[in-house]
Amino acid sequence: MSTRERVLQALIEAAERGVSGQEIAEALGVSRTAIAKHVAALEAEGYVIEAARGRGYRLVAGPIDATPAGVRPLINSRFWTSVLGGWETGSTNDDARRLAQEGASEGTVVVAASQSAGRGRLGRTWSSPEGGAYLSVILRPAVSVLQASSLPLALGVAVARAFAKLGVASRLKWPNDVLLAEGKVAGVLVEMAAEADLVDWLVAGIGMNVSRGAGNDEARAAYLSDVAAGLTPAVVSAAVLDEVAAVYDEWKSGGFGVLAGEYGEWHSLSGQQVVVRDAMGRVSASGRVVGVDADGRLLLDDGAGAIQRVAAGEVTLRQP
Ligand code: BTN
């Protein structure tokens, strides 16, 4: 931990009581002037710090954006060992991939307040202006590529759980879109590298629409701030990271099978007649959605007694 992080830690621990510059200086073995400089730098990062005579410093609020400074203090899970990133980047997935290739450990997170080249599934762009939350995590599960294919669905469950804890009732759309009413509020993009069919690293990127704003008003998108007040990108990112850590643990020990039932409860397509199309737009399957299996495949009842298992494709409701 850097000295600045330790100063922040001291302020967080002191909470409402506050702590004097002298006390922090003695605890860290640096001068009071150095502490004052670190406090000023934290304020420049967006922390609101009150300096009252006799009470010392008191941390009033953290930055609201999904920057490391904003997100790190709000994470409860101890799984995330390193939170990197900044105000703006091309794509947090690209940054995390680079770090993973360089050997970064599982539990590394990259966050950003905005992205200039955010990527979605199927080569789409992910519009990423300020006001949203963009994060990518590095995972290194000891599983095969096939076993890893259900992780994106598990992460959808994590996002839905986190949103529920924040007071937002969302639904999932197979494989891992997160919806509010008909609009998409969040998406998950998982990329990986493998050797001899065993996963080496896996980068899971999650993009979330938090508040509408300039350049942040996509027609078919939904925003958390439409249905819940007071949610900031930092709060949302930290809540999602906590649930991702919990779900990842469940998935590692029990496989997706232990989450499939819950996935079905969040699933907006349960019981619906749907059509699945491949990347060329050709219909590859159709039927009534009856669940997902332990590998995360969509289960369709074709109406003639057969269940089809769908591993990939774009799903839409069948028009009457
Ligand atoms: C989707 O198509 O639904 C997935 C969208 C994933 C977007 C996130 S934002 C953080 C991370 N960085 C990216 O470039 N993409 C993912």
Side-chain angles (χ1 to χ4, degrees):
M1 215 188 262
S2 69
T3 308
R4 186 158 310 157
E5 284 170 335
R6 293 173 72 196
V7 171
L8 178 59
Q9 185 83 23
L11 290 168
I12 293 169
E13 279 165 14
E16 285 297 299
R17 272 181 295 118
V19 56
S20 72
Q22 184 66 36
E23 279 175 84
I24 311 178
E26 278 169 17
L28 304 191
V30 297
S31 70
R32 274 187 66 177
T33 323
I35 298 300
K37 276 191 190 148
H38 286 301
V39 167
L42 288 168
E43 286 176 321
E45 283 182 29
Y47 289 94
V48 180
I49 298 165
E50 213 174 63
R53 197 175 278 277
R55 272 175 66 191
Y57 297 112
R58 197 168 67 87
L59 180 61
V60 178
I64 62 167
D65 300 284
T67 58
V71 177
R72 198 183 290 121
L74 304 178
I75 297 174
N76 292 316
S77 165
R78 304 183 82 86
F79 179 71
W80 307 113
T81 46
S82 174
V83 182
L84 309 170
W87 276 105
E88 210 219 4
T89 188
S91 153
T92 55
N93 258 43
D94 289 346
D95 297 341
R97 288 174 65 123
R98 203 164 35 248
L99 288 165
Q101 276 154 7
E102 289 164 3
S105 61
E106 164 159 283
T108 301
V109 181
V110 182
V111 294
S114 66
Q115 299 181 120
S116 56
R119 296 187 285 107
R121 287 175 55 237
L122 309 170
R124 295 178 185 139
T125 49
W126 183 261
S127 165
S128 313
E130 262 184 57
Y134 316 104
L135 62 90
S136 300
V137 299
I138 298 176
L139 304 172
R140 294 183 182 273
V143 298
S144 69
V145 171
L146 185 65
Q147 286 168 317
S149 61
S150 63
L151 183 65
L153 281 80
L155 296 176
V157 170
V159 176
R161 275 191 201 174
F163 286 179
K165 286 195 173 163
L166 295 171
V168 174
S170 63
R171 309 299 305 272
L172 298 176
K173 176 174 176 273
W174 190 89
N176 51 23
D177 287 351
V178 187
L179 312 178
L180 284 184
E182 293 309 303
K184 181 160 164 175
V185 67
V188 179
L189 174 66
V190 175
E191 300 174 301
M192 67 175 104
E195 255 173 60
D197 197 40
L198 274 186
V199 169
D200 178 11
W201 54 257
L202 208 145
V203 164
I206 305 178
M208 294 159 280
N209 302 326
V210 183
S211 48
R212 290 180 192 272
N216 195 359
D217 207 354
E218 297 268 305
R220 284 173 43 233
Y223 294 81
L224 291 172
S225 61
D226 292 346
V227 294
L231 293 180
T232 65
V235 165
V236 172
S237 301
V240 165
L241 285 166
D242 282 342
E243 292 306 321
V244 166
V247 162
Y248 179 55
D249 215 37
E250 293 168 42
W251 178 84
K252 265 191 313 184
S253 47
F256 184 69
V258 297
L259 294 159
E262 181 181 348
Y263 184 95
E265 285 164 27
W266 294 110
H267 198 195
S268 65
L269 298 176
S270 286
Q272 303 278 358
Q273 292 287 345
V274 299
V275 173
V276 185
R277 290 192 168 77
D278 65 17
M280 306 297 291
R282 289 179 300 235
V283 173
S284 54
S286 63
R288 191 171 64 86
V289 175
V290 292
V292 287
D293 70 11
D295 294 321
R297 288 174 298 188
L298 186 68
L299 300 176
L300 297 183
D301 182 340
D302 70 356
I307 299 289
Q308 270 182 291
R309 290 169 194 270
V310 179
E314 279 292 287
V315 185
T316 51
L317 288 177
R318 182 148 65 191
Q319 299 305 325

